[in-house]
């Protein structure tokens, strides 16, 4: 059974499900796959220090605890890749939509962001001791203050159940997680590239005060974006260094 002895902890309101998971990890050893889900967060956190907007009771807000000790430190981006791929396969199954992954791990459908991932790793020396995989999926929300955000409801005109979505997501994640544990992460890299939003297309990027056009040509082994610049050279960028305009 996937994540057999782990459970889902249901909360009404919390500061952040990631914070709750961190507190749980600091006082106990929850079974791998334990998930925390909440109806609303008061300080939902996103990438790059952003706030994660979500209307109470409308969306899936959860954190899943993993112990990916088998992942080499240099390959820790593969965890982010497999969470992103698991969200894509979950949403493609429940809503019959096509998802793409905007590097590094935004989930996009019909050119709109419908889900985000915030992974927080707890390192023990050079090993990842535990990971908190924070996931926000916009299910039923109808209006967003953030341009470019959307929900499954707005894309498919149907309502979705947060717990059912989480159960399928845990199953998808469990399968992929154990697959890379046994077989290594090569197939995950391929699957990720095949889902990468705007790969091989010319797009606008910003890096600090610079704006430029470039083409995504791949991702390196530590998860850096490989861009072909206007002069034909290849440059690598970390998440802090570049942003796609879309
Ligand atoms: C992003 O900026 O794209 C990442 C968003 C991650 C949001 C989720 S919601 C559940 C979990 N708890 C948080 O505070 N953040 C993540």
């Amino acid at each position: 059974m996937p994540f057999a002895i782990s459970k889902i902890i249901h909360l009404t309101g919390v500061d952040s499900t990631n914070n709750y998971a961190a507190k749980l990890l600091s006082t106990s050893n929850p079974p791998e796959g334990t998930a925390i889900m909440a109806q609303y967060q008061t300080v939902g956190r996103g990438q790059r220090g952003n706030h994660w907007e979500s209307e109470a009771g409308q969306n899936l807000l959860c954190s899943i605890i993993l112990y990916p000790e088998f992942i080499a430190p240099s390959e820790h981006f593969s965890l982010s890749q497999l969470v992103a791929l698991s969200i894509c396969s979950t949403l493609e199954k429940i809503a019959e939509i096509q998802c793409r992954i905007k590097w590094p791990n935004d989930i996009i459908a019909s050119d709109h962001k419908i889900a985000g991932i915030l992974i927080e790793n707890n390192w023990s020396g050079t090993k990842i001791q535990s990971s908190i995989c924070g996931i926000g999926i916009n299910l039923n929300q109808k209006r967003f203050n953030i341009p470019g955000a959307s929900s499954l409801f707005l894309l498919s005109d149907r309502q979705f159940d947060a717990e059912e979505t989480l159960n399928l997501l845990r199953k998808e994640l469990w399968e992929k997680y154990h697959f890379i544990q046994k077989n290594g992460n090569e197939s995950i890299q391929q699957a990720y590239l095949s889902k990468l939003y705007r790969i091989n297309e010319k797009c606008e990027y910003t890096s600090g005060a610079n704006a430029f056009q470039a083409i995504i040509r791949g991702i390196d082994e530590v998860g850096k974006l490989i861009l072909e610049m206007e002069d034909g050279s290849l440059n690598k960028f970390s998440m802090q260094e570049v942003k796609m305009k879309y």
Side-chain angles (χ1 to χ4, degrees):
M1 265 298 277
F3 295 135
I5 54 166
S6 63
K7 57 175 184 175
I8 299 179
I9 299 170
H10 297 264
L11 305 172
T12 307
V14 68
D15 51 356
S16 149
T17 56
N18 272 30
N19 294 357
Y20 189 97
K23 279 184 211 130
L24 202 62
L25 278 166
S26 69
T27 53
S28 62
N29 285 309
E32 183 154 57
T34 297
I36 297 102
M37 70 182 280
Q39 298 290 316
Y40 70 88
Q41 302 180 121
T42 51
V43 272
R45 294 186 287 112
Q47 298 278 353
R48 305 173 198 250
N50 290 328
H51 171 70
W52 182 251
E53 180 200 315
S54 180
E55 239 173 70
Q58 297 300 310
N59 302 314
L60 175 59
L61 303 167
C62 67
S63 300
I64 300 176
I65 294 173
L66 297 175
Y67 301 106
E69 286 170 359
F70 62 92
I71 295 182
S74 59
E75 291 176 358
H76 72 91
F77 186 63
S78 57
L79 185 61
S80 168
Q81 291 175 309
L82 79 87
V83 174
L85 287 166
S86 304
I87 297 175
C88 286
S89 47
T90 300
L91 301 188
E92 287 176 352
K93 281 182 185 161
I94 64 169
E96 291 146 29
I97 52 167
Q98 272 286 323
C99 291
R100 290 274 169 269
I101 304 166
K102 181 170 159 283
W103 177 85
N105 55 16
D106 287 350
I107 309 301
I108 303 285
S110 302
D111 290 319
H112 286 76
K113 178 164 171 175
I114 53 167
I117 301 167
L118 180 67
I119 296 182
E120 294 179 306
N121 292 321
N122 183 9
W123 294 84
S124 164
T126 56
K127 271 194 173 341
I128 306 174
Q129 198 176 48
S130 59
S131 283
I132 298 168
C133 304
I135 298 163
I137 302 179
N138 297 334
L139 295 178
N140 302 313
Q141 189 165 326
K142 295 180 184 61
R143 274 174 293 277
F144 292 88
N145 295 321
I146 296 167
S150 191
S151 67
L152 290 195
F153 175 83
L154 291 172
L155 297 177
S156 66
D157 210 19
R158 282 169 46 206
Q159 296 275 337
F160 295 86
D161 183 83
E163 187 162 358
E164 272 173 29
T165 307
L166 176 56
N167 281 330
L168 182 58
L169 174 61
R170 289 169 91 216
K171 182 171 170 289
E172 296 288 324
L173 183 59
W174 185 87
E175 284 170 8
K176 290 182 181 31
Y177 185 67
H178 287 280
F179 184 86
I180 67 162
Q181 195 165 11
K182 278 204 194 112
N183 306 296
N185 61 9
E186 215 168 282
S187 64
I188 292 288
Q189 312 289 0
Q190 289 311 316
Y192 179 88
L193 283 182
S194 74
K195 283 273 176 206
L196 197 59
Y197 184 64
R198 297 199 167 157
I199 187 167
N200 298 325
E201 284 177 38
K202 191 174 263 193
C203 294
E204 269 200 57
Y205 294 84
T206 53
S207 178
N210 295 332
F212 55 91
Q213 293 204 319
I215 303 171
I216 299 179
R217 290 303 187 197
I219 305 293
D220 80 357
E221 56 299 338
V222 294
K224 285 191 173 183
L225 187 68
I226 303 172
L227 288 182
E228 183 182 320
M229 312 301 283
E230 278 166 282
D231 64 2
S233 63
L234 294 178
N235 274 4
K236 290 182 181 184
F237 293 90
S238 67
M239 196 175 101
Q240 291 73 28
E241 290 169 336
V242 76
K243 211 170 174 208
M244 180 194 279
K245 278 190 171 179
Y246 85 112

